[in-house]
Every structure is written in structure tokens, then in C-alpha cells.
Amino acid sequence: RTARSVDDLGSIVEERLPEFDGRHVATCIYGLATLDTRLDAGKWSVGRVGRKLAPRLTKELESEGLGHRSLSNVCWAVAKLSSAAPELESLSVSLALAGAPRTFEMNSQGLSNTCWAVAALQLAVTEGADFWRAACHACPSVIVTSESSEELLPQHLTTLVWAMAVARAEDTFEHAGDASDAVAQQAAASYREFSPQNIAMTLWAFAKL
């Protein structure tokens, strides 16, 4: 059934967790990050649901049971939940490591969301290094592939360069210059599609690089 509240989701997790595969675990974590917690006054808090899901997420990461879309969604959700779900947040390094070899499989939305998450989680340079090397290497080809399939949106470019700026990737990681150049070229070609907010964020990010 569809969860309409954190309490609904907690009840589903309690009842069905042994039956879940990696996709179900990822869907629950993503759902936890998107539900409106103002609606909740039941027995299940965000932290309690996260505590219940964290051991299963650990197993899925160890067994490489998450596809690249599920992994991207989980990274985004864990970063959005942050300290509200500390047991999930404690898996940030493991998520970044799992994401590194999957970056070439992602489209622009998946890669930008995952980069945003790793940047937002503020991992130490050494902890996020494998991910950022892989993401910067993958970025130019992901942009080309997503643009040709009409999946590339201005906010993906904005998010990519924002994340690289926050993580100071260009100062640290091989291929980061190629990644930022790819974003800049595509942004220059499609700037008329950018909202004022995207333009402002993109200019800020390039100034920070």
C-alpha cells in the first residue's frame, strides 16, 4: 500500500521488511524523505523508521543489491533527512563508495542528485575521494548521453556545478576540470532555458570553483 505519513510507512516497514529487496528498501528511504512530517503524531518518528531501515540498507550495500537509480535516490534521501535519521546518515561513506563505480550508469538527474547528496553530507575529502574522482570522470559523457536522449535539464547542470563547488572538486580531483568544462559548454548552449534562480546558482558555483 502507499504510505501517506511517516506512521503509515513505519507500519509498512515493521510488517513487510523481511520481504523487501533492495528496490523496496530504497523506495522506503526515499519515501521517508519526501513525506510531510507535520502530519505525524503517531508512534513512528522519522528517526525510528530510519533506525529500522539502516541494517537492511547496510546489507544491500554490502551485497551490491541496489541498482544505480535506487542508489541515487537513497543518497538524495539520506542527505535530505540528514540528522533526522542518524543511523541512515552514518552510512554516508558507504553510500559514496557504492556510488563511485555506478556513476557511468547514471543519467544527468541521477548523477546530479548523487553529487548534490555527497556534497550536502559534507564528507571529508578522503572519505568522498573515490566518488568525486568517478563522478568527475563520468560527468562529460553523462551530459552528452542525457542531452541526446532529451533527459538533460538546466537544474541538472546547476546542481552538478554547485556540488562540485561545495566539494571543492576542481581543486582536488583528476578530471574535475573536464567535468566543469562540460557543464559550462552545455550551460552556454542552453542558457535561455535556465530560470533566474538556476542562472544565479550556476554563476555562484563557477565563481567558487
Side-chain angles (χ1 to χ4, degrees):
R1 69 182 193 268
T2 301
R4 292 181 172 84
S5 68
V6 175
D7 216 41
D8 280 350
L9 183 59
S11 297
I12 292 169
V13 169
E14 186 174 47
E15 178 185 344
R16 307 292 297 275
L17 186 59
E19 306 168 26
F20 284 1
D21 60 16
R23 183 172 56 84
H24 295 124
V25 173
T27 299
C28 283
I29 294 171
Y30 182 82
L32 185 62
T34 57
L35 288 169
D36 187 347
T37 57
R38 293 173 297 179
L39 301 176
D40 291 290
K43 70 173 186 175
W44 287 94
S45 65
V46 169
R48 186 179 175 198
V49 179
R51 195 176 309 121
K52 193 82 172 175
L53 288 166
R56 278 302 307 274
L57 177 57
T58 300
K59 289 182 180 179
E60 296 300 331
L61 291 172
E62 290 173 348
S63 64
E64 300 182 357
L66 297 179
H68 66 88
R69 290 184 182 86
S70 291
L71 186 60
S72 176
N73 286 340
V74 169
C75 287
W76 178 87
V78 169
K80 187 172 186 294
L81 290 165
S82 187
S83 59
E87 284 82 4
L88 292 175
E89 189 179 31
S90 71
L91 299 174
S92 299
V93 175
S94 297
L95 285 166
L97 289 171
R102 313 303 293 272
T103 52
F104 274 96
E105 301 172 44
M106 296 176 182
N107 62 11
S108 57
Q109 180 178 8
L111 184 62
S112 63
N113 283 348
T114 310
C115 287
W116 175 86
V118 176
L121 287 164
Q122 298 182 329
L123 300 184
V125 170
T126 52
E127 293 174 334
D130 287 348
F131 172 80
W132 284 114
R133 288 191 191 97
C136 291
H137 193 196
C139 185
S141 65
V142 169
I143 288 174
V144 169
T145 301
S146 294
E147 198 277 333
S148 63
S149 61
E150 299 184 351
E151 296 177 305
L152 184 65
L153 298 176
Q155 56 262 42
H156 301 162
L157 298 171
T158 297
T159 302
L160 282 167
V161 72
W162 179 91
M164 286 191 290
V166 169
R168 303 191 67 84
E170 193 164 69
D171 296 337
T172 312
F173 302 113
E174 187 181 3
H175 302 298
D178 295 336
S180 60
D181 286 350
V183 173
Q185 290 170 14
Q186 188 59 44
S190 58
Y191 72 91
R192 290 182 178 84
E193 302 170 29
F194 278 56
S195 68
Q197 181 182 14
N198 282 333
I199 290 172
M201 289 180 64
T202 303
L203 291 173
W204 175 88
F206 276 112
K208 288 279 287 184
L209 284 174

